[in-house]
Amino acid sequence: MGVRPVPRVPRPSLMVAGGVAIAALVVIVVAFRLADINSYKPQLEAAGSRLLGLDVTVRGRIGIDLLPSPHLTLNDVHLSSRGSELCSSERARLWIDWLPLLRGETRIDGVALAQPRFSIARARDGAYNVSGLTHAAELIRDHDLPSLSMADGSLLFTDAGSGTTFELRDFDLSMKHLRLHGGGLPDRWRNPSFTARFDCREARSGKVVVSGLELAAVGRDAELTLDPITLHVFGGDGSGSVRANLSDSIPVVAVRGSLRQFRIEEFFATFLPKKTAEGAMDLTASLAMRGRTTSQWIRTASGEVTVHGRSITLDGGDLDKTIQRFDSSQSFNLVDLGALFLAGPFGPAVTKGVDFGRALEGTSGGSRIGLLVSRWRVGRGVAQAQDVAMATNANRIAMQGGLDFASRQFSDVTFAVVDANGCARVQQRVRGPFAKPVIDKPEALVALVHPVLHLLGTLRGILPAKPCVPFYTGSVPPPEAK
């Protein structure tokens, strides 16, 4: 017995069926228009609230249109949870797949928000006001949200516990094919799929202002990639990338970046009350970390960070004169100066217990740093000095030791004025917490008083030089003799 062939549906029949579907859709739209959809606003708000698990309010008019494809337009929309507004938008357009509606299903094919305003808050007990969004996220099950866009948006995050704020102003977002793959909701967020483009005119946290932030993002196979990232901060141009592996319950993050020709005076202005120095510097960083919180990232961080600068001007005093007049009876503090300049990118963390102004007090004028290098190896939250030194017109100052950010303490740190051979002429140790360090008295290995130095220079050809173990052997050369 032969297999009976499946009858082929005539093409005209398919055309008729398609025409009937389109006609039915037109009838539905016309019916809504004739009935004035705005008279159903309370019912639509209630349906939206049930669907999202949030309080939905539409203060403006609602429209329904066919072109360029069927969609709803909601004007002046507000989403709130427990009396706290999470989001508002001047206009929200929702593209809806109409055929699933016939089966009692709601499937959104696209969302476009004009001037959205997001407000995220963290209470003192650590709870966030966006917990209600978990229900809304369940709508993105194992199918795509083909399109999500936001234009001229803003976001404000406030942390009641720390008193900090973070703000995004005037941003645009374009996201395609967002999918949260199966499993429970937490598992879905660990394996997102999407492509996105984000542009933000200004991001602000405290005194730090970032402008011209642009990035491309891809989520695929439990990996989130932000590459490239470009921005402008402290007067310099930055670029870099972030890669996060989300396959485990604890994310692994790798960060690479550089900031070229940023202004040191703008950087210092974020944590010092008055202008201290002026000049341009370069920063490069490559770090890997593991965790979900800032403290976990700090404890697990590993990699390298380097700052490099030339022709930097110090305000408030002459460093070379301060060093030249040193003797054992005088107050002399290398730590105040070293922690500020030699700690490089870690300056804001380690200078709370030091006083830069004290390092140069008693002298007038200014100082010039011809070259500054601050290179660090980071491991398990400890930054270890690899090549950390700077050269003024007449002196070199170097640093050894580590900065333990996990415990927020100095780890066997010593600052020293070194001679042409890298030997320490005077050195000073610092220990204890960043906020309240214990600074030892300076140890004079060779007197720095000018007449003594002159006498030593005269006798250098008569008496054999005393060997030393160099304190510094890095890339900053000694100043040229004058």
Side-chain angles (χ1 to χ4, degrees), residues 149-172:
S149 66
M150 302 180 190
D152 190 24
S154 68
L155 180 148
L156 176 63
F157 170 75
T158 58
D159 188 333
S162 64
T164 59
T165 62
F166 174 75
E167 188 175 5
L168 297 176
R169 298 179 180 177
D170 191 12
F171 69 79
D172 296 332

Side-chain angles (χ1 to χ4, degrees), residues 106-186:
T106 302
R107 177 164 178 168
I108 298 175
D109 278 349
V111 177
L113 304 179
Q115 297 184 14
R117 302 289 181 261
F118 298 92
S119 179
I120 302 175
R122 184 175 185 267
R124 293 185 182 276
D125 61 2
Y128 288 86
N129 67 336
V130 294
S131 57
L133 290 177
T134 56
H135 183 73
E138 286 286 355
L139 295 175
I140 310 172
R141 296 179 180 170
D142 285 326
H143 67 265
D144 292 348
L145 175 62
S147 175
L148 172 63
S149 66
M150 302 180 190
D152 190 24
S154 68
L155 180 148
L156 176 63
F157 170 75
T158 58
D159 188 333
S162 64
T164 59
T165 62
F166 174 75
E167 188 175 5
L168 297 176
R169 298 179 180 177
D170 191 12
F171 69 79
D172 296 332
L173 171 68
S174 176
M175 181 177 289
K176 301 293 185 183
H177 305 299
L178 173 62
R179 172 177 287 191
L180 306 179
H181 297 278
L185 188 60

Side-chain angles (χ1 to χ4, degrees), residues 180-416:
L180 306 179
H181 297 278
L185 188 60
D187 292 329
R188 291 177 188 167
W189 284 113
R190 286 202 293 268
N191 192 11
S193 295
F194 67 90
T195 60
R197 178 77 190 183
F198 181 79
D199 302 289
C200 183
R201 181 179 61 84
E202 182 179 287
R204 182 184 295 268
S205 179
K207 294 183 179 180
V208 179
V209 179
V210 176
S211 61
L213 173 61
E214 299 180 5
L215 62 88
V218 176
R220 185 180 296 116
D221 299 328
E223 288 195 359
L224 173 63
T225 302
L226 310 181
D227 186 16
I229 303 172
T230 59
L231 52 85
H232 187 79
V233 64
F234 303 134
D237 294 317
S239 62
S241 65
V242 176
R243 287 178 169 81
N245 187 319
L246 308 176
S247 59
D248 196 358
S249 59
I250 302 178
V252 178
V253 182
V255 180
R256 293 179 179 272
S258 63
L259 182 59
R260 303 295 181 186
Q261 294 296 288
F262 72 94
R263 302 299 302 182
I264 192 172
E265 60 269 27
E266 294 189 24
F267 173 65
F268 283 163
T270 63
F271 61 96
L272 291 178
K274 62 181 180 179
K275 183 180 176 182
T276 300
E278 184 175 356
M281 304 185 72
D282 295 327
L283 178 147
T284 60
S286 177
L287 295 170
M289 57 204 78
R290 180 183 177 90
R292 290 184 172 277
T293 65
T294 302
S295 61
Q296 291 173 346
W297 291 343
I298 290 174
R299 289 197 301 269
T300 61
S302 63
E304 290 189 350
V305 180
T306 299
V307 170
H308 185 280
R310 292 183 179 274
S311 301
I312 299 168
T313 302
L314 308 186
D315 294 335
D318 190 324
L319 177 60
D320 288 328
K321 287 183 179 179
T322 303
I323 295 175
Q324 183 181 15
R325 71 181 187 177
F326 168 77
D327 64 38
S328 59
S329 64
Q330 288 182 311
S331 174
F332 183 76
N333 203 326
L334 279 173
V335 174
D336 290 331
L337 183 77
L340 181 64
F341 284 93
L342 300 183
F346 311 118
V350 302
T351 55
K352 294 181 180 180
V354 299
D355 181 4
F356 168 74
R358 182 174 53 181
L360 299 179
E361 65 185 3
T363 62
S364 59
S367 303
R368 176 182 174 274
I369 298 176
L371 175 63
L372 184 149
V373 173
S374 183
R375 183 167 64 86
W376 300 80
R377 169 77 67 177
V378 181
R380 296 183 179 180
V382 178
Q384 196 71 30
Q386 300 295 298
D387 182 1
V388 180
M390 65 182 182
T392 64
N393 288 336
N395 294 279
R396 273 192 305 174
I397 300 174
M399 175 185 168
Q400 291 182 353
L403 306 173
D404 188 340
F405 290 95
S407 60
R408 304 188 63 80
Q409 295 202 14
F410 292 96
S411 177
D412 195 23
V413 172
T414 303
F415 296 92

Side-chain angles (χ1 to χ4, degrees), residues 391-396 418-422 472 474-481:
T392 64
N393 288 336
N395 294 279
R396 273 192 305 174
V418 299
D419 62 17
N421 297 317
Y472 177 73
S475 61
V476 177
E480 295 181 2

